[in-house]
Amino acid sequence: MRKEDIIGNLKILDLLEKIARSENLGHAYLFSGPEGVGKKRAALMFARLINCACAGETRCHSCAQMEHLNHPELLLLEDANEPRWIHRDSVIRHLSEFGLKEEDE
């Protein structure tokens, strides 16, 4: 996933690139907006940037794992029952699948 693959929102994408390169990351980022604007694609691009071992110059193993959604640092939380909201209990349930407990958060 490259910035060029996402149409529109260039200011936001540039900001995400700048944040990823600064190594001054926040503990969480919220991607919100109407359906179909590229939130998931932008979030995946950002995740690739902060985990990339090749600085985007080539396609490293980390980039390939991100593209196939099987990177060990990537956890997608999607709630099919309520696609608009991800509830705390849903997050805890997903984390418990990875062996994390609520008090580990």
Side-chain angles (χ1 to χ4, degrees), residues 57-96:
E57 299 298 321
T58 60
R59 188 170 177 256
C60 64
H61 183 66
S62 177
C63 291
Q65 287 180 309
M66 282 292 177
E67 287 177 19
H68 292 101
L69 304 180
N70 63 0
H71 192 284
E73 296 296 324
L74 179 66
L75 174 61
L76 291 177
L77 300 179
E78 298 177 296
D79 193 334
N81 296 326
E82 296 202 35
R84 225 182 128 189
W85 304 100
I86 304 273
H87 295 279
R88 181 178 183 277
D89 292 341
S90 180
V91 172
I92 292 169
R93 184 177 66 248
H94 280 84
L95 291 176
S96 69

Side-chain angles (χ1 to χ4, degrees), residues 1 10 13 26 32 36 61 71 96 98:
M1 178 71 49
L10 291 178
L13 298 174
S32 67
H61 183 66
H71 192 284
S96 69
F98 290 89

Side-chain angles (χ1 to χ4, degrees), residues 4 7 18 23 30 35 37 43 55-56 74 95:
E4 296 79 28
I7 299 170
K18 184 177 178 181
E23 297 183 13
L30 176 64
E35 187 175 333
V37 296
L74 179 66
L95 291 176

